[in-house]
Amino acid sequence: MADQKQKPQAETGCPVKHIAFIMDGNGRWAKKRGMPREYGHKFGAEAFKKVMRRCSELGIEAATFYVFSTENWKRPQKEVDSIMKLLDEYLDECQRELEKNDVRFIFLGSKDPFPPSLRRKMEQIEERSRHSKKIVNMALNYGGRDEIVYAANRLLKCGKSKITEADFSSALYTSESPELDMIVRTGGDLRISNFLLWQAAYAELYFTDKLWPDFKEKDVDEAVENFKNRKRRFGGV
Ligand code: IPE
Ligand code: IPE
Ligand code: MG
């Protein structure tokens, strides 16, 4: 029995099956330190790695991270370039550590706008990690509206004349993930910013003022604890 008590939640089952993060506040975090926004993104990437590991340790089946939105391309070129450079570096690291991490990486969003070398790396990572069970979705060039239009076009191509909610869900980028349980947004803003619009239908929302680079393992634990106290009614009583 004593042994069982020490078992991580992973083995006893985490109530959160699918969690998503709007990783906001990198720029403000850097500004507070008198540094350029790029500096915040660098530390934001470190926070992402910590949070990803923690989600896996907790036994969360799928974790989705909002890395770069369809609207983020309108930022100054210098900032976009620095994010792409960080992404490229992360994809290299990810490839090196694929076995160690034992998670399945899926990139949500069209890969078309990315340079061919980045696209190739994303495809290789998806392919090489596809047998792992736990999912990490990286939303890159992702927009909720874009995803809905993408799903509708996929269904049209199948020639269906009538579709169900289940058909629609399975045409989305997140088709491999369980139903979304919770969205965590850092940085203090109370909005969704075009993230997981379809999937958010009954997700619990969790907002914190903490800026993303300050978000740590214990903050994931706090969000999960908070989830346990939510009364989910799904329209019932
Ligand atoms: C989130 O942090 C990262 C991306 C959107 C790429 P921000 O860069 O939006 O940081 P703030 O919100 O300006 O502080
Ligand atoms: C949302 O943050 C996108 C990501 C975290 C990747 P933004 O900073 O782009 O959102 P807004 O502009 O504050 O709504
Ligand atoms: Mg922001």
Side-chain angles (χ1 to χ4, degrees):
M1 268 327 261
D3 254 14
Q4 212 158 15
K5 259 198 184 145
Q6 281 162 13
K7 274 189 181 173
Q9 261 184 311
E11 289 172 54
T12 51
C14 182
V16 180
K17 306 279 178 244
H18 183 182
I19 193 167
F21 297 91
I22 301 178
M23 309 188 283
D24 198 25
N26 292 349
R28 280 163 284 166
W29 187 89
K31 195 172 173 208
K32 265 172 55 180
R33 285 159 180 78
M35 299 296 281
R37 297 177 56 83
E38 292 72 18
Y39 184 77
H41 295 314
K42 190 164 152 14
F43 281 83
E46 294 308 312
F48 156 74
K49 290 181 221 169
K50 285 182 197 156
V51 170
M52 184 187 83
R53 271 196 299 271
R54 188 65 188 146
C55 289
S56 176
E57 283 165 8
L58 290 174
I60 296 173
E61 288 174 26
T64 300
F65 296 89
Y66 206 1
V67 180
F68 194 82
S69 75
T70 43
E71 288 75 35
N72 288 148
W73 295 105
K74 56 176 120 142
R75 294 192 177 197
Q77 195 56 43
K78 182 168 163 272
E79 180 172 348
V80 172
D81 288 347
S82 83
I83 294 172
M84 292 304 135
K85 186 163 174 280
L86 276 170
L87 174 65
D88 193 26
E89 286 166 7
Y90 176 69
L91 294 178
D92 287 341
E93 185 182 325
C94 184
Q95 284 193 312
R96 285 195 302 273
E97 299 193 344
L98 226 42
E99 274 77 34
K100 195 178 101 187
N101 280 330
D102 193 25
V103 292
R104 176 175 180 189
F105 286 91
I106 299 175
F107 296 91
L108 316 183
S110 167
K111 296 182 183 74
D112 292 349
F114 296 101
S117 70
L118 275 187
R119 278 205 316 253
R120 228 177 358 259
K121 286 179 195 179
M122 290 186 229
E123 283 158 4
Q124 282 169 356
I125 289 168
E126 283 182 326
E127 173 61 23
R128 282 184 55 206
S129 69
R130 75 182 196 285
H131 295 301
S132 293
K133 266 188 85 173
K134 282 185 198 130
I135 293 176
V136 167
N137 292 311
M138 291 182 72
L140 263 172
N141 182 40
Y142 175 86
R145 289 185 174 182
D146 180 71
E147 181 182 33
I148 288 169
V149 170
Y150 160 83
N153 279 317
R154 272 184 85 184
L155 292 163
L156 279 177
K157 265 202 197 135
C158 293
K160 291 211 180 218
S161 56
K162 197 161 182 264
I163 57 157
T164 62
E165 286 195 9
D167 290 331
F168 206 87
S169 290
S170 62
L172 295 167
Y173 289 122
T174 51
S175 61
E176 302 290 327
S177 303
E179 202 52 58
L180 182 63
D181 292 311
M182 188 178 221
I183 297 181
V184 173
R185 182 177 186 138
T186 60
D189 283 314
L190 308 180
R191 57 176 172 262
I192 292 292
S193 300
N194 201 13
F195 191 44
L196 301 177
L197 299 180
W198 171 278
Q199 299 86 338
Y202 274 105
E204 296 298 321
L205 305 179
Y206 182 89
F207 297 99
T208 165
D209 287 337
K210 206 164 256 199
L211 303 172
W212 178 255
D214 290 328
F215 200 79
K216 300 270 149 53
E217 291 90 340
K218 73 165 183 36
D219 300 301
V220 181
D221 296 355
E222 271 175 34
V224 170
E225 279 310 307
N226 187 289
F227 178 86
K228 289 180 187 166
N229 297 322
R230 303 280 180 110
K231 297 248 174 325
R232 303 182 86 192
R233 285 184 292 277
F234 299 99
V237 286

